[in-house]
Amino acid sequence: DAGVTQSPTHLIKTRGQQVTLRCSPKSGHDTVSWYQQALGQGPQFIFQYYEEEERQRGNFPDRFSGHQFPNYSSELNVNALLLGDSALYLCASSLPASGIYEQYFGPGTRLTVT
Amino acid sequence: AQSVTQPDIHITVSEGASLELRCNYSYGATPYLFWYVQSPGQGLQLLLKYFSGDTLVQGIKGFEAEFKRSQSSFNLRKPSVHWSDAAEYFCAVGAEDSGYSTLTFGKGTMLLVSP
């Protein structure tokens, strides 16, 4: 049973560029959440997708957008990159409808903006 | 809005000694509480969770945590620490308005294990 997978592992971008990160949820999970973890900080919730729609959103600007596909995989897009966007981006999947609320995290994508 | 405080940024424990990592939360209703561990360069692994019922919960790798409503705390404990426990530990609370499926994390406690 594959867990949550993310790609790429590492990414280096320049200020002003756009980036797309990808996530495949744990088998059977239908809800995907994205978190940003800056160096020395705990993860911060960006948004959550369910049934291909954004269901919840944290305190992040519109430069951060996402998408969920029919197979429940998801993408996180960040436009007009800033130096402060450098962080570990974590994807988590869950199945809230089952009554099991824990989230399973992927290994993350390390984004460096120069 | 909910919040989580982990007062200790770093803790050093001798191998074989007991461990307690502190976590305090702020939330208006009964919280769903979690402890996660993160090894360097890795994602987060769930150690244990509290939803309801018995306030002492057991997790993986010999960890346990106790929910104390009166103190708004959910401290993580282990009776004997192993060198492999060195990692960063995060406490998190689940948000009710999303069906407890989004998490607010503390800033983490880095555990160092000395020989």
Side-chain angles (χ1 to χ4, degrees):
Chain A
D1 179 22
V4 179
T5 60
Q6 294 185 243
S7 63
T9 304
H10 296 88
L11 206 51
I12 299 174
K13 290 286 189 178
T14 303
R15 275 179 299 176
Q17 287 187 318
Q18 179 265 344
V19 68
T20 297
L21 311 181
R22 294 176 177 83
C23 170
S24 292
K26 181 178 169 63
S27 178
H29 285 187
D30 60 5
T31 300
V32 173
S33 303
W34 286 91
Y35 292 81
Q36 181 196 65
Q37 186 179 17
L39 200 60
Q41 302 294 316
Q44 282 195 292
F45 173 69
I46 303 174
F47 44 53
Q48 182 182 87
Y49 276 84
Y50 171 72
E51 292 189 340
E52 302 180 48
E53 291 192 358
E54 183 182 290
R55 182 164 71 172
Q56 293 282 333
R57 188 177 184 92
N59 188 24
F60 278 80
D62 292 344
R63 298 187 297 110
F64 289 77
S65 63
H67 188 77
Q68 186 179 34
F69 299 94
N71 67 354
Y72 307 125
S73 67
S74 177
E75 289 182 349
L76 164 66
N77 301 291
V78 187
N79 295 321
L81 284 167
L82 304 174
L83 294 179
D85 295 331
S86 295
L88 180 68
Y89 288 85
L90 295 164
C91 170
S93 72
S94 57
L95 188 62
S98 69
I100 300 172
Y101 297 110
E102 59 260 42
Q103 298 192 20
Y104 293 82
F105 284 82
T109 293
R110 174 72 64 187
L111 173 64
T112 302
V113 182
T114 63
Chain B
Q2 63 278 3
S3 66
V4 175
T5 301
Q6 294 180 249
D8 304 304
I9 299 175
H10 296 98
I11 282 186
T12 300
V13 175
S14 298
E15 191 169 15
S18 64
L19 168 71
E20 183 169 25
L21 301 182
R22 296 183 290 166
C23 171
N24 292 97
Y25 67 90
S26 173
Y27 187 61
T30 300
Y32 282 7
L33 295 163
F34 305 83
W35 274 99
Y36 284 86
V37 62
Q38 186 176 38
S39 299
Q42 302 294 313
L44 300 172
Q45 181 183 23
L46 179 67
L47 285 176
L48 48 76
K49 59 186 182 288
Y50 171 78
F51 288 167
S52 64
D54 192 349
T55 56
L56 183 64
V57 294
Q58 302 297 321
I60 62 171
K61 303 184 180 184
F63 286 92
E64 67 177 27
E66 186 171 11
F67 170 59
K68 293 186 177 180
R69 185 188 300 274
S70 61
Q71 299 177 18
S72 297
S73 70
F74 188 57
N75 293 350
L76 182 71
R77 301 193 294 246
K78 186 170 185 179
S80 177
V81 169
H82 188 263
W83 64 266
S84 60
D85 293 324
E88 189 151 28
Y89 292 79
F90 292 95
C91 180
V93 62
E96 182 177 10
D97 59 0
S98 63
Y100 300 92
S101 63
T102 64
L103 301 174
T104 298
F105 285 86
K107 293 187 176 183
T109 297
M110 180 65 73
L111 172 65
L112 306 172
V113 180
S114 61

